[in-house]
Amino acid sequence: PSVRYVELHCKTNFSFLEGASHPNELVNEAAKFGYAGMAVTDRNSLSGAVRTHIAAKEVGLKLLIGAEVTMVDAGPVLLWAMNREGYGRLCQLLTRGRRRAPKGECRLAFADVAEHASGLLVGVLLKQAGDLPSELQRWREVFLDRAYAVAELHRGVCDGRRLDEWQRAALAARVPLIAAGDVHYHDARRRYLQDVLTAIRLKATVAELGASRFPNGERRIRAIDE
């Protein structure tokens, strides 16, 4: 491919009742399309990292280890380990959050992430409403030049407007804007399984999901030209 692309936001089926593809399925699809690498970022967990590492090693795909981290006082972010120190910090952070919460849950705050920032990169997911420049600046003050704004588009009707808003927010906060896919499955046909997983997680039927259901199958491993 003429463009080198690394998927930086990818959930495996170890993001329980969210991700709808096995690690090897995601890795093989990324390798097929000629990705330069892929990050595994399961929600508040590193559970999928081992199997993703094994699959990536088999096909020679560069793998980044990370997690999507949720907080009680801030929007979700992606944390990627830069080195062994960062991996250890990420493990400590997630362990703290798990110990505070009931089994299967994780409770963290902005201050917890800031305390464990050494050796990590942060990607701020630009989904929440509010003052985006201030939110980005808040993270930049902690991570300095290791902070990024993450743009994720899925062929929605407002993609152009949203991208323009994100670009202006990132420029105002002096934070680089990067692209990711919010991948939940390797192939668009797996979307229907993901709908069922969402229904189970929300204790509803698929027909009752409404806006909780993805409107299309774009949260997949896409060809680089897409």
Side-chain angles (χ1 to χ4, degrees), residues 181-202:
D182 191 21
V183 171
H184 282 64
Y185 36 79
H186 73 290
D187 186 277
R189 292 170 293 185
R190 197 62 66 86
R191 170 194 172 193
Y192 303 107
L193 173 60
Q194 206 278 329
D195 287 344
V196 174
L197 296 176
T198 301
I200 295 171
R201 177 165 51 86
L202 299 180

Side-chain angles (χ1 to χ4, degrees), residues 4-208:
R4 289 173 59 81
Y5 179 70
V6 176
E7 180 51 65
L8 293 171
H9 188 193
C10 189
K11 289 185 175 72
T12 73
N13 60 340
F14 284 89
S15 287
F16 189 54
L17 297 180
E18 288 190 77
S21 289
H22 295 280
N24 64 298
E25 293 175 319
L26 295 161
V27 166
N28 291 341
E29 195 78 355
K32 182 183 77 174
F33 285 131
Y35 281 30
M38 191 183 86
V40 56
T41 53
D42 285 310
R43 183 184 293 273
N44 297 321
S45 174
L46 295 172
S47 299
V50 173
R51 293 193 183 183
T52 310
H53 166 73
I54 293 171
K57 191 173 182 180
E58 289 176 351
V59 298
L61 185 72
K62 174 70 175 179
L63 180 66
L64 304 176
I65 302 296
E68 178 184 318
V69 175
T70 59
M71 289 154 283
V72 297
D73 58 350
V77 297
L78 302 173
L79 296 176
W80 305 287
M82 299 173 61
N83 46 40
R84 185 169 181 173
E85 177 198 3
Y87 178 76
R89 293 272 186 175
L90 185 55
C91 290
Q92 292 170 1
L93 174 68
L94 295 175
T95 299
R96 175 184 291 186
R98 294 290 183 178
R99 284 177 172 173
R100 283 180 180 164
K103 184 176 181 180
E105 299 179 19
C106 185
R107 184 177 179 83
L108 291 168
F110 179 90
D112 296 313
V113 178
E115 182 183 337
H116 293 79
S118 180
L120 296 172
L121 303 169
V122 66
V124 183
L125 297 172
L126 301 178
K127 296 179 181 179
Q128 66 274 20
D131 189 346
L132 290 179
S134 295
E135 182 73 7
L136 290 171
Q137 183 62 34
R138 184 187 188 194
W139 287 106
R140 187 178 185 275
E141 290 173 357
V142 173
F143 284 85
L144 305 177
D145 62 350
R146 294 177 287 114
Y148 297 85
V150 182
E152 299 180 321
L153 300 173
H154 301 100
R155 298 187 185 276
V157 294
C158 298
D159 279 0
R161 178 183 59 79
R162 295 173 75 194
L163 182 58
D164 180 66
E165 177 186 353
W166 294 342
Q167 288 173 327
R168 286 187 281 108
L171 185 63
R174 295 180 295 131
V175 173
L177 185 68
I178 60 176
D182 191 21
V183 171
H184 282 64
Y185 36 79
H186 73 290
D187 186 277
R189 292 170 293 185
R190 197 62 66 86
R191 170 194 172 193
Y192 303 107
L193 173 60
Q194 206 278 329
D195 287 344
V196 174
L197 296 176
T198 301
I200 295 171
R201 177 165 51 86
L202 299 180
K203 296 179 174 60
T205 67
V206 172
E208 294 169 339

Side-chain angles (χ1 to χ4, degrees), residues 205-220:
T205 67
V206 172
E208 294 169 339
L209 289 178
S212 297
R213 183 184 184 187
F214 294 141
N216 57 36
E218 292 299 305
R219 283 172 175 78
R220 57 186 167 86

